[in-house]
Amino acid sequence: MPVRARPGWEGLLAPDEAARAEAIPEGGRRDLFVTSRAAQRLIACRYTGSPPRQVRVERTCERCGAGHGRPRVVGAGYEYSVAHTRHRVLVGVVAYGLVGIDLETIAGPGVPQGLLARTTTPDERVALSQLPPHELPGAFTRLWSRKEATVKLTGHGLAARLDRIGVRGDLALPHGSPAEDWPSSEVHLLDLFVEGHAAAIASTHRITDVRSRSPAAPATTD
């Protein structure tokens, strides 16, 4: 979904979300919040048949109990993940297992060595060092996107050691222990095409087919 002003979508939000949107000054941050939260509700409406404002979205972190956890639609029967840049919102939905999705704007020229050391495995750093300079930003951003998708799936977020997660193939492979309670089950990876961005989806079931859709507002939201 492109991020833009969507005044008609504010009526799709739950009361607490509408209050949060109202507190954000008009502009890009507010447009992003409304686009993201309304899109999640429209997707839930498609799969559950419930009116958008009546959808219950749970965001409690499974590890600390705070409200920044992986979003889940109560009673929906599917799992989803959300990512965004300033200009786009991306939502990934799966019918089986867990999912994590990430979307990154391709980095500018050069990648700081300190950032490489903190976020890549030794073999990834070797592979990146062999690339022509103009290819390095895109390649690094794709690795970053795959790692972000992985830690969003596991629920660890950036508490995980990204330099202990290898993502060059179609599986995210732990190098040692990236974080406490790291899952023993396989995490599958798939790159997505979003123009001007690096995007990836991580899943506990291998994905063989991706269908792209844009949510549309229903005829009535009452």
Side-chain angles (χ1 to χ4, degrees):
M1 289 296 298
V3 174
R4 58 179 172 80
R6 300 175 186 272
W9 281 26
E10 295 193 14
L12 304 175
L13 305 181
D16 61 321
E17 293 174 325
R20 283 186 60 184
E22 186 66 27
I24 302 173
E26 291 187 2
R29 286 180 56 240
R30 182 167 176 170
D31 295 344
L32 173 58
F33 180 83
V34 172
T35 298
S36 176
R37 293 302 179 91
Q40 293 174 56
R41 292 183 171 278
L42 288 170
I43 291 169
C45 176
R46 170 185 292 157
Y47 287 109
T48 67
S50 299
R53 284 192 296 180
Q54 294 182 18
V55 170
R56 291 176 55 206
V57 181
E58 175 63 54
R59 292 185 171 85
T60 302
C61 177
E62 298 170 353
R63 288 179 166 77
C64 70
H68 56 225
R70 183 175 55 242
R72 299 173 294 279
V73 174
V74 177
Y78 69 87
E79 293 286 338
Y80 78 100
S81 181
V82 185
H84 65 80
T85 63
R86 289 188 303 165
H87 304 295
R88 287 181 181 269
V89 171
L90 187 65
V91 182
V93 179
V94 294
Y96 304 101
L98 300 178
V99 64
I101 200 165
D102 190 58
L103 178 70
E104 303 286 342
T105 302
I106 299 294
V111 179
Q113 290 300 311
L115 181 61
L116 282 171
R118 293 192 305 273
T119 59
T120 56
T121 64
D123 64 312
E124 290 170 346
R125 287 194 291 277
V126 170
L128 290 172
S129 71
Q130 296 172 347
L131 294 175
H134 69 278
E135 293 182 10
L136 176 60
F140 172 75
T141 307
R142 283 188 288 275
L143 284 178
W144 177 277
S145 178
R146 288 170 146 238
K147 290 172 187 268
E148 284 271 9
T150 298
V151 298
K152 289 172 77 171
L153 178 150
T154 67
H156 290 92
L158 293 181
R161 289 278 301 269
L162 299 186
D163 61 333
R164 294 184 179 178
I165 308 170
V167 295
R168 292 182 63 200
D170 58 1
L171 293 174
L173 300 175
H175 289 225
S177 177
E180 184 179 357
D181 299 326
W182 191 258
S184 58
S185 57
E186 290 185 334
V187 176
H188 301 272
L189 296 171
L190 183 68
D191 292 324
L192 303 175
F193 177 76
V194 180
E195 185 176 0
H197 297 74
I201 188 165
S203 61
T204 51
H205 285 67
R206 187 181 298 277
I207 293 173
T208 59
D209 181 40
V210 177
R211 301 180 184 182
S212 177
R213 296 178 178 176
S214 294
T220 177
T221 59
D222 294 332

